[in-house]
């Protein structure tokens, strides 16, 4: 019996589609620090398109809804492609027949059969007439159950991570609206309050958790808050600039202990590293200007020598440039001095 080359090729394509869906889903949901090639392509192109359509710092509904839409769209693409792949497999194998007449099922009914096989237990009006078809039906049913379970678990995990990011931003915002106000609010007139130092210590763990979540779920980068006060990238910029001021902008004798400041800076550095690995940014921004100290001076805080401060700022140029790149790729602009707003 001659082999139908076209039928074999279509069957190979169908199997490849099913395997590609599972590879993409497994990499996206289970591999830390990476997304599947299909998901990465769709997410990256769609987000860059949205950023081009809207001005930076905009709180538009489209920007805010893009993250959830991309997350849902990713799962929808998996579902549609899995359904299409199995439909083509059953059609090329020719195993689906009408349960009453045993007549071969046309294409539309084959697609219908593939759909209820992958996503439900079926109603029995169409069945597989061959042993191969029945085996494929079992495999298709398992694949659908596995993918849907995987997708739901992924969706819930991402939503939980989004809440954690907003909680971090809100907590940083309670310390101050910008880098200088964070430092000023921590000053009690004679030194930095112990409660302020404790806040910094406790923030270290929360920043680390957010960094790890960003590594596990790169789609988090596309969730955009309406206000800067609830945006994690903005909060981390303010916090990092505040730590820079505490570490080099304040006179050495008045600075809080390095054990309170350095862990926060290392945690933010970890966030920069993990987010940079999973975020595709276009263009290389300039190094942002040094954080202003006008508010600190007006509040009477003892300041370090300007030249020492500028040397410390210059030493962190690459770190601050990368942080600016992450901030702008999320649709926000770098805060301007003085006041860091």
């Amino acid at each position: 019996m001659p082999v139908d080359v076209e039928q074999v090729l279509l069957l190979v394509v169908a199997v490849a589609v099913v395997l590609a869906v599972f590879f993409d889903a497994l990499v996206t949901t289970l591999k830390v620090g990476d997304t599947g090639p299909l998901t990465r392509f769709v997410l990256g192109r769609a987000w860059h398109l949205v950023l081009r359509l809207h001005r930076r710092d905009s709180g538009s509904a489209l920007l805010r809804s893009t993250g959830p839409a991309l997350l849902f769209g990713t799962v929808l693409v998996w579902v549609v492609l899995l359904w299409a792949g199995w439909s083509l497999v059953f059609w090329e194998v020719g195993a689906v027949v009408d349960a009453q007449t045993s007549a071969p099922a046309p294409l539309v009914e084959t697609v219908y059969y593939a759909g209820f096989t992958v996503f439900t237990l079926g109603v029995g009006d169409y069945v597989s007439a061959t042993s191969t078809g029945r085996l494929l039906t079992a495999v298709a049913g398992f694949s659908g159950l596995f993918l849907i379970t995987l997708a739901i678990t992924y969706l819930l995990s991402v939503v939980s991570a989004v809440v954690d990011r907003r909680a971090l931003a809100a907590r940083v915002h309670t310390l101050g609206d910008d880098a200088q106000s964070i430092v000023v609010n921590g000053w009690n007139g004679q030194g930095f309050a112990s409660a302020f130092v404790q806040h910094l210590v406790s923030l270290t763990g929360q920043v680390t958790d957010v960094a790890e979540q960003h590594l596990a779920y790169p789609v988090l980068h596309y969730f955009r808050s309406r206000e800067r006060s609830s945006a994690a990238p903005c909060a981390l910029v303010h916090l990092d600039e505040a730590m820079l001021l505490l570490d080099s902008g304040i006179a050495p004798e008045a600075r809080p202990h390095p054990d309170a400041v350095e862990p926060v800076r290392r945690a933010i550095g970890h966030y920069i590293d993990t987010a940079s690995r999973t975020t595709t940014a276009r263009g290389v921004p300039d190094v942002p200007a040094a954080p202003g100290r006008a508010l600190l001076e007006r509040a009477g805080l003892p300041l370090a020598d300007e030249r020492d401060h500028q040397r410390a700022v210059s030493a962190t140029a690459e770190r601050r440039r990368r942080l600016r790149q992450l901030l702008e790729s999320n649709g926000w602009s770098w805060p301007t001095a003085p006041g860091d707003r």
Side-chain angles (χ1 to χ4, degrees), residues 264-302:
V264 178
R265 300 195 72 188
R266 287 196 294 268
I268 297 175
H270 179 51
Y271 170 84
I272 296 172
D273 291 337
T274 57
S276 298
R277 287 173 53 188
T278 58
T279 301
T280 302
R282 294 186 176 181
V284 180
D286 296 332
V287 176
R293 297 193 294 172
L295 184 60
L296 276 60
E297 185 175 4
R298 290 197 300 269
L301 274 72

Side-chain angles (χ1 to χ4, degrees), residues 245-266:
L245 289 172
L246 288 174
D247 189 50
S248 64
I250 300 296
E253 66 277 6
R255 295 171 188 170
H257 197 280
D259 287 347
V261 176
E262 285 306 313
V264 178
R265 300 195 72 188
R266 287 196 294 268

Side-chain angles (χ1 to χ4, degrees), residues 46-66 224 328 330-332:
W47 181 249
H48 286 308
L49 175 62
V50 171
L51 286 182
R52 283 200 299 268
L53 293 176
H54 291 270
R55 62 183 176 85
R56 194 171 294 162
D57 296 326
S58 170
S60 71
L62 179 58
L63 278 175
R64 287 182 284 114
S65 61
T66 297
R224 174 67 149 59
E328 293 182 352
N330 195 241
W332 298 105

Side-chain angles (χ1 to χ4, degrees), residues 26 124 152 166 195:
L26 288 172
I152 292 175
R166 292 180 63 89

Side-chain angles (χ1 to χ4, degrees), residues 224-243:
R224 174 67 149 59
S225 300
R226 180 176 182 176
E227 306 291 342
R228 293 184 73 100
S229 60
S230 59
C234 296
L236 290 174
V237 166
H238 293 318
L239 185 61
D240 195 57
E241 294 289 87
M243 296 305 101

Side-chain angles (χ1 to χ4, degrees), residues 28 45 57 100 103 112 133 140 174 177 201 207-208 223 236 238 255-256 294 301 321 324 332 336:
T28 301
R45 296 302 184 276
D57 296 326
Q100 300 298 323
Y112 160 70
T174 62
D177 295 334
V201 172
V207 173
T208 302
F223 279 78
L236 290 174
H238 293 318
R255 295 171 188 170
L301 274 72
R321 184 194 63 77
R324 179 178 187 175
W332 298 105
T336 56

